[in-house]
Amino acid sequence: MKKKKVIEVFKSGHKDFQQLVKSLTANQISNKEVSENWTVKDIIAHLSAWNFAQAKEIDNILEGKSTWSKLYKTKKDWDEFNKNAVEERRDKNIKVIISEWESSFEKLINRLDNLTEKEWNSNTHLHSLFHYEKEGLSDEGRHAQEVKKLFNL
């Protein structure tokens, strides 16, 4: 996938999730379980952690120090990352969680945007970071659809 397309898909999914969050009440965000016993707040915490991790892994890859293939070999490894990301943020106020999410997204997009075409096109490890999109949706876009379905929006 071309870098520009990845950024477009990510921005679209982020915008969808932003609009969704703005349409929900504080109670819906913090108390209603969506999936895997997660609330919308937990999903936002999860998204923040992955955005920060992806931005960091881009630098690791460019320095020849890729870590994801070692850290996340199995679904259990991914699930453990998600569990820890949510638990680390569990007691934070929703405004803090949302602010962190926005910051993490901006950091990821800036990091992607600043990659040269040579860096993007010459490194297959970079592409592997962004192969989890399904049906043209980013992780944020998929979560937005999941939450909309739950709340019949």
Side-chain angles (χ1 to χ4, degrees), residues 37-85:
N37 299 322
W38 281 8
T39 64
V40 174
K41 177 184 171 189
D42 295 335
I43 292 171
I44 296 169
H46 149 81
L47 294 170
S48 294
W50 278 111
N51 288 342
F52 282 131
Q54 284 180 301
K56 181 179 179 186
E57 189 63 6
I58 289 169
D59 291 330
N60 290 343
I61 289 169
L62 293 175
E63 293 169 7
K65 301 175 185 174
S66 176
T67 61
W68 279 27
S69 60
K70 297 173 193 127
L71 295 175
Y72 311 115
K73 290 182 180 181
T74 67
K75 182 178 181 329
K76 183 179 176 185
D77 297 330
W78 291 89
D79 290 344
E80 188 67 22
F81 177 93
N82 288 333
K83 178 184 167 194
N84 291 337

Side-chain angles (χ1 to χ4, degrees), residues 10-51:
F10 275 45
K11 284 183 175 180
S12 176
H14 188 74
K15 184 178 178 182
D16 286 349
F17 208 93
Q18 280 177 317
Q19 291 172 339
L20 173 63
V21 168
K22 288 177 184 175
S23 74
L24 299 175
T25 66
N27 188 50
Q28 289 172 314
I29 292 171
S30 296
N31 298 317
K32 176 88 172 165
E33 288 184 359
V34 178
S35 68
E36 301 176 26
N37 299 322
W38 281 8
T39 64
V40 174
K41 177 184 171 189
D42 295 335
I43 292 171
I44 296 169
H46 149 81
L47 294 170
S48 294
W50 278 111
N51 288 342

Side-chain angles (χ1 to χ4, degrees), residues 19 79 86 106 129 144:
Q19 291 172 339
D79 290 344
V86 171
E106 184 177 327
L129 290 178

Side-chain angles (χ1 to χ4, degrees), residues 51-140:
N51 288 342
F52 282 131
Q54 284 180 301
K56 181 179 179 186
E57 189 63 6
I58 289 169
D59 291 330
N60 290 343
I61 289 169
L62 293 175
E63 293 169 7
K65 301 175 185 174
S66 176
T67 61
W68 279 27
S69 60
K70 297 173 193 127
L71 295 175
Y72 311 115
K73 290 182 180 181
T74 67
K75 182 178 181 329
K76 183 179 176 185
D77 297 330
W78 291 89
D79 290 344
E80 188 67 22
F81 177 93
N82 288 333
K83 178 184 167 194
N84 291 337
V86 171
E87 286 304 316
E88 287 170 14
R89 293 162 176 84
R90 178 88 50 197
D91 295 329
K92 289 185 179 181
N93 176 289
I94 186 58
K95 289 182 181 181
V96 171
I97 297 288
I98 290 171
S99 177
E100 183 182 70
W101 169 53
E102 293 293 356
S103 175
S104 73
F105 185 77
E106 184 177 327
K107 181 175 183 168
L108 176 59
I109 293 301
N110 284 339
R111 189 62 195 100
L112 281 169
D113 209 25
N114 287 319
L115 287 170
T116 66
E117 288 301 316
K118 182 178 179 183
E119 289 170 327
W120 178 260
N121 291 320
S122 67
N123 200 312
T124 56
H125 288 291
L126 277 178
H127 293 258
S128 70
L129 290 178
F130 308 104
H131 277 219
Y132 61 84
E133 289 83 15
K134 294 179 184 169
E135 300 170 11
L137 295 172
S138 65
D139 197 26
E140 293 191 10

